[in-house]
Amino acid sequence: MKLVTGASTDVGRQRAANEDAYLVDPDRSLYAVADGMGGHRAGEVASAAAIEALAGGVGTGMALVDAVASANTRILERAGDDPELAGMGTTLTAMTMRGGSTAVLAHVGDSRAYLLRNGDLVQVTEDHSVVEGLVREGRITPEQAEHHPSRSMLTRALGVDHHVEVAGYEVDLLPGDRLMLCSDGLTTMMRDREIAVVLRAARDPLDAASTLVDAANRAGGADNITVVVLDVVAEEGDEPAAAPVGDAAVVRATPSGHWELEADLVDPTPGAGAAVATTGASARRPWRTVVFVGVPVLLVVLIGLGAVGWYARRTYYVGLDGDRVALYQGVPGGLLWWDETVERRSDVTVDELTVAQRVDLGDGHRFSSLDAATRFLARIEHDAEGDDAKATDDAAPERTDLTGSGPTGSGPTGGGR
Ligand code: MN
């Protein structure tokens, strides 16, 4: 079988620059989408560097996950060399072929891979994002996730740390399958079922990719949009395709691995990916099943609850309120009856954060005193200001304009779905 491809990318309707990048390389059977982040166009550099390092790595015979890890290293090196690029990062979703009929994917971040088979759309990759974690833990529904203020907060990205965990997936392809790689500029503007309608109807991959980009723009185009579509086509001399056993096992997650800079050996830790899903929340649940057996027990319980309340109110964290960074009193998500409250809302928006800050603030960065939290927030505000000043100095008025038009594109109406 062979792959027929089509791709489309667009800056969208609200951004000054396209920081997405993609790769379609039929000779190496290598396909990828990267979504860069970082002030002052560093995101463009990050996504391009990631794609370049990926292609270079695969070109020298590296396994796909290793090549993704090497892209991480490359971004950190470039960011270290140039203060203008400090804090840049990117997502990367890459795909190659093995043995003629198996798609192998390596993935970090919230760009996505999908498979359309027999008219059904399946999301192959799992987002490394805060809301994905909340959905997995059952704390919010997928519908709530679509409008959640933290939906652009990542739990993993390239360029954050020398240590990166790359997720791997495999799909045994059948003739007639249609694969899609895309950045979140598509999936935050369109629901899966709307995407499926287009993917089913489009006559060829290029038509599918450009129709999806147009549709995301019509829905608001809040972010850069990139779509790569790959059709699996039977060739003369193919073995007759074996029908898959059942529907369930279409996508296999391969063990994710940890990679460190300069560590030349992979340390595959099966199940390590699951560790990310269990941050804090599940540990609190047993509290809810307290049984009252008598007055002494009740007293103990009340004292315990008092302690929990005291803890909940003595904790501060810096996280997101809508698309703004805010200082909260309480713990993220609240604790029992003690909901978190916004202590101070800053002018800094999600878009102004570095990728490391996005990852850091994803679950709320906690402090045991208001002072420490205030200092931390002040540092973020200072960083963001420095960035603005730089942008203005270098005569990049479009960035200032963007900030100025912020209110129209933010808040509950800004999702534009
Ligand atoms: Mn994006």
Side-chain angles (χ1 to χ4, degrees):
M1 54 183 72
K2 63 172 182 177
L3 296 176
V4 178
T5 58
S8 182
T9 187
D10 191 73
V11 65
R13 296 262 165 95
Q14 298 180 29
R15 298 290 171 99
N18 192 346
E19 300 189 314
D20 285 357
Y22 72 91
L23 175 71
V24 171
D25 182 349
D27 292 340
R28 283 181 199 150
S29 281
L30 185 59
Y31 310 91
V33 166
D35 177 351
M37 288 150 277
H40 198 39
R41 304 212 166 165
E44 268 178 86
V45 178
S47 58
I51 295 279
E52 191 185 301
L54 172 81
V58 169
T60 61
M62 270 186 195
L64 192 66
V65 281
D66 295 333
V68 170
S70 79
N72 180 54
T73 306
R74 171 82 61 89
I75 291 162
L76 286 165
E77 281 167 0
R78 292 209 51 188
D81 289 346
D82 184 348
E84 289 267 290
L85 302 178
M88 71 175 177
T90 185
T91 71
L92 184 58
T93 301
M95 187 197 122
T96 190
M97 293 293 290
R98 193 186 60 215
S101 64
T102 301
V104 177
L105 293 107
H107 161 74
V108 174
D110 67 350
S111 299
R112 291 180 180 174
Y114 285 88
L115 169 70
L116 183 80
R117 172 172 292 172
N118 301 327
D120 293 329
L121 189 66
V122 180
Q123 188 178 328
V124 175
T125 51
E126 194 166 83
D127 293 351
H128 299 139
S129 69
V130 171
V131 292
E132 178 67 32
L134 295 174
V135 170
R136 211 162 41 221
E137 290 169 18
R139 296 172 77 189
I140 60 172
T141 64
E143 290 68 39
Q144 290 171 316
E146 289 177 359
H147 305 285
H148 199 277
S150 298
R151 66 177 190 275
S152 56
M153 300 300 273
L154 300 178
T155 51
R156 286 187 224 173
L158 300 185
V160 177
D161 197 83
H162 293 305
H163 168 101
V164 62
E165 202 177 314
V166 182
Y169 303 89
E170 292 182 356
V171 183
D172 292 327
L173 297 176
L174 298 171
D177 284 350
R178 180 167 267 181
L179 289 153
M180 177 182 73
L181 310 179
C182 64
S183 64
D184 71 332
L186 177 70
T187 49
T188 53
M189 291 289 113
M190 292 180 74
R191 292 162 186 277
D192 281 7
R193 63 166 186 275
E194 296 167 333
I195 293 172
V197 167
V198 175
L199 285 176
R200 274 182 221 122
R203 60 184 186 279
D204 61 52
L206 185 57
D207 179 34
S210 49
T211 305
L212 285 168
V213 168
D214 290 348
N217 268 328
R218 270 199 307 277
D223 193 4
N224 308 145
I225 311 144
T226 301
V227 180
V228 175
V229 177
L230 309 100
D231 277 2
V232 182
V233 178
E235 277 182 306
E236 198 82 25
D238 277 352
E239 313 240 321
V245 187
D247 278 347
V250 173
V251 176
R252 289 188 298 279
T254 50
S256 18
H258 300 269
W259 282 264
E260 304 269 357
L261 184 71
E262 280 157 16
D264 43 23
L265 249 220
V266 181
D267 164 31
T269 313
V276 177
T278 55
T279 42
S282 52
R284 294 202 294 271
R285 263 180 215 135
W287 280 100
R288 302 209 168 121
T289 56
V290 170
V291 177
F292 298 86
V293 207
V295 172
V297 175
L298 183 61
L299 264 180
V300 169
V301 166
L302 285 176
I303 291 166
L305 289 179
V308 171
W310 181 82
Y311 167 73
R313 297 307 294 173
R314 287 295 298 249
T315 301
Y316 297 85
Y317 76 94
V318 175
L320 283 186
D321 178 30
D323 67 340
R324 307 262 157 172
V325 177
L327 195 166
Y328 286 87
Q329 184 174 23
V331 296
L335 199 50
L336 294 172
W337 299 278
W338 291 275
D339 286 338
E340 77 267 77
T341 51
V342 176
E343 193 74 7
R344 197 157 82 70
R345 201 160 183 262
S346 120
D347 289 335
V348 178
T349 63
V350 178
D351 291 336
E352 294 174 88
L353 299 176
T354 67
V355 65
Q357 286 169 333
R358 286 181 198 218
V359 170
D360 190 27
L361 298 188
D363 194 36
H365 194 112
R366 296 174 204 215
F367 300 90
S368 55
S369 81
L370 180 58
D371 256 15
T374 305
R375 278 199 302 275
F376 180 79
L377 180 59
R379 205 158 57 232
I380 288 176
E381 287 174 330
H382 180 262
D383 287 353
E385 263 168 38
D387 217 37
D388 281 349
K390 242 188 292 170
T392 318
D393 288 351
D394 297 357
E398 70 276 19
R399 190 161 199 281
T400 322
D401 292 345
L402 256 188
T403 316
S405 69
T408 49
S410 66
T413 54
R417 282 159 173 278

